[in-house]
Structure formats: structure tokens, C-alpha cells
Amino acid sequence: MKKLFDDLSYKISRETTRQYSTSFSLGIMALSPKIRNPIYAIYGYVRLADEIVDSFHDHDKQKLLSKYKEETFCALEDKISLNPVLHSFQETVHQYKIDHALIHQFLKSMEMDLQKIDYNSDLYKEYILGSAEVVGLMCLHIFTEGNIDEFERLKPYAMTLGSAFQKVNFLRDMKDDYQILGRSYFPNVDISYFDNAVKAQIEKEIEEEFKISLEGIRKLPPSSRFGVYLAYRYYISLFRKIKKTSAAKIINQRIRISNGRKLSLMMSSYVQYKTSFL
């Protein structure tokens, strides 16, 4: 029974999400049950690619990523994969008619992480497009359940929210990105001279994107609205903590939100969502 393998594949994508991200797991649990599995499939897929470029230091990352890319498009063509994460992903792509161009753009950004790049404004935008904005668009295909008009209407908001999330991640992960992986994404910024003025300028961009994104969240279908709002509240909380932290500390420590705080955010977000969000 192939259904047994299909179900197992989604379970493995779900467990991948839970192991790697408490915050996204909570957000997905706040979605309608009918769309949870496809979102787990997308997260599981992008997570594995991210792990290749970020964590597998004792292996040939270029070879692994090239193989992952090849296996991705083989799975999409064959409509099956013995890799459960790829199998659940290809099924989701076919079910929701996700544009393959989004997948190519995502993998291009992962390939950029394997190179030593001095990011200018154009490369910075291209990296964020592939690493975050297109992932938001993959999810939006699921949230709008095939309604093309709704997808196009909400597309700019999904991209802006993905961009805001990614820029917060850049600030949160600056220590590891710079000291361990040798990366610096912000254009024309020398991390050796990263100070509060530069940090404030980046934070201003993020604040504007969060403001625009909230308008889009309000327009999402009920099946996805609270889950996305919860992820938004988590990132806003993380962002506020980063804003209170000096540039010097940002470079030398990873800013975190405790699991207890995440649960508290979930409860307070639900109350706010029900009472005043709309």
C-alpha cells in the first residue's frame, strides 16, 4: 500500500520540523489540520538543503547539494522518491501546482552559501528572494488552495514577510554566520566595524517590512491566518529582543527566545487574535 509510504513521508517531514524548529512547529500546529502536512513537507525540504550548506562541514557540500538538487527534480518528474522528505515535497508541489521556478530560485540561494561572496544590494536581494521570499510563496500556494487570484493578491505580502523573517535571522545568527561560516549578508557592511548605527539602519528596514506584512496576514484565509500570525508574533518578539541588544553583543552571542516564552506567546497571540486582531 503506497498510502502507508505517503503517510510515513509526511510524518518524517513533520518530525524534521519539530526537531529543528520549535517556533515553526507551533505555528504549523495553529494552521487548519488540512494544510499542516504540506507545510511540514516544504519546511522539511528547505531544512535539509539548509543543513547541507550550514552543518555538514566534514563532507563535500557542493557534491551533496548538487545531488540533492538532482534528486529533487527526479522526484518531481517521477512523482516518487525513496527519500521520504523529497517524496512528501514532490507530492505537495504537484498537489498545489507550485511553480518549479520557485524551487530553482531557492536552490540558487543555497548554492550562493557555498561561495565566498561580498554582498552588494543586488546580490543581497537575490539571496533573500531565494532563501526566504520564494519559500513564503510556496506556502502561499497552499494557503490559497489553488485560487490564483488570491495568490497574486497576497504575493507581495508573503514576499515581504519572508524578507523580514530572513533579515531577523541574519541578525540573530550573525555570530555563527560570521565567526564559523565566514558569511556576511548585509550589503556594504564590514562586520568588523558593525556598530549600533548600522544595526539601527537594518532594524528600520525590518520594521517597515513587518508593518506591511501585517496587512497581508489580515487578508489570509481563516485556515492559515492564525498560524502565520503566530509566526509573525514570534519573530516580532525576537526582533524586539535583538533591538535591545547592543551591536557588540549581537556579534558574539546568538539571541534566543526560550520555549516557555514561545508557549506564552502562543497563548497571548490567540487571545489577541480573537479579541482585537481583526
Side-chain angles (χ1 to χ4, degrees):
M1 289 179 63
K2 182 172 171 293
K3 185 179 183 303
L4 186 62
F5 179 66
D6 293 342
D7 292 344
L8 175 64
S9 296
Y10 280 110
K11 285 180 181 177
I12 290 174
S13 292
R14 180 181 66 198
E15 188 58 29
T16 300
T17 306
R18 289 178 175 174
Q19 288 291 323
Y20 279 103
S21 179
T22 306
S23 54
F24 277 108
S25 293
L26 291 173
I28 294 173
M29 285 301 295
L31 298 172
S32 170
K34 67 180 179 179
I35 61 172
R36 288 176 194 165
N37 275 346
I39 299 299
Y40 284 131
I42 289 174
Y43 183 88
Y45 175 75
V46 302
R47 183 71 254 172
L48 289 191
D50 207 43
E51 284 305 296
I52 290 171
V53 300
D54 283 355
S55 302
F56 298 166
H57 306 308
D58 296 329
H59 303 274
D60 186 335
K61 296 179 181 182
Q62 183 66 65
K63 183 178 179 180
L64 286 172
L65 187 61
S66 295
K67 187 175 181 181
Y68 192 59
K69 181 177 181 179
E70 179 184 351
E71 290 175 351
T72 294
F73 291 102
C74 283
L76 289 168
E77 183 178 351
D78 298 340
K79 297 186 177 181
I80 194 169
S81 174
L82 293 181
N83 176 326
V85 171
L86 283 178
H87 181 66
S88 65
F89 179 68
Q90 69 78 23
E91 189 166 277
T92 295
V93 170
H94 285 112
Q95 181 180 352
Y96 291 93
K97 297 180 174 58
I98 294 172
D99 190 344
H100 289 195
L102 300 179
I103 305 168
H104 280 287
Q105 190 70 52
F106 166 72
L107 290 169
K108 185 176 181 181
S109 284
M110 295 300 97
E111 289 166 350
M112 290 171 75
D113 270 337
L114 296 178
Q115 307 168 45
K116 180 70 175 177
I117 296 176
D118 291 325
Y119 281 89
N120 57 30
S121 294
D122 289 339
L123 289 171
Y124 178 62
K125 290 175 183 176
E126 183 177 7
Y127 182 83
I128 291 175
L129 171 64
S131 64
E133 292 178 12
V134 300
V135 178
L137 294 179
M138 290 183 205
C139 293
L140 186 61
H141 273 290
I142 295 165
F143 297 156
T144 54
E145 299 185 67
N147 187 321
I148 301 301
D149 289 338
E150 278 294 284
F151 176 85
E152 290 298 328
R153 184 171 73 95
L154 294 169
K155 181 178 177 178
Y157 299 108
M159 295 176 73
T160 301
L161 184 61
S163 176
F165 283 179
Q166 184 64 291
K167 289 173 185 176
V168 172
N169 287 342
F170 287 159
L171 289 173
R172 179 196 65 188
D173 299 335
M174 189 174 285
K175 175 182 179 291
D176 287 349
D177 282 341
Y178 182 62
Q179 295 185 12
I180 297 175
L181 300 172
R183 299 177 193 154
S184 173
Y185 295 102
F186 296 114
N188 308 314
V189 172
D190 184 343
I191 301 300
S192 302
Y193 298 97
F194 185 71
D195 59 19
N196 289 330
V198 173
K199 177 173 169 283
Q201 194 171 15
I202 295 167
E203 289 166 348
K204 186 177 179 181
E205 289 178 20
I206 296 170
E207 284 180 330
E208 286 301 312
E209 289 183 332
F210 273 134
K211 189 183 299 183
I212 294 168
S213 302
L214 186 57
E215 296 175 30
I217 295 172
R218 291 191 173 107
K219 297 175 182 178
L220 282 169
S223 59
S224 58
R225 194 181 304 144
F226 177 58
V228 178
Y229 179 59
L230 182 58
Y232 166 88
R233 283 289 311 279
Y234 163 72
Y235 267 90
I236 283 285
S237 179
L238 177 60
F239 178 57
R240 287 171 179 163
K241 190 170 183 179
I242 287 170
K243 283 188 70 176
K244 294 176 182 177
T245 306
S246 69
K249 285 187 178 180
I250 289 289
I251 297 173
N252 290 294
Q253 68 180 55
R254 190 177 192 268
I255 308 303
R256 299 176 183 274
I257 299 293
S258 70
N259 288 341
R261 174 60 180 152
K262 290 174 186 176
L263 289 171
S264 174
L265 275 170
M266 185 174 188
M267 291 184 286
S268 64
S269 295
Y270 184 74
V271 172
Q272 186 175 8
Y273 174 78
K274 283 296 187 181
T275 58
S276 63
F277 177 64
L278 297 179

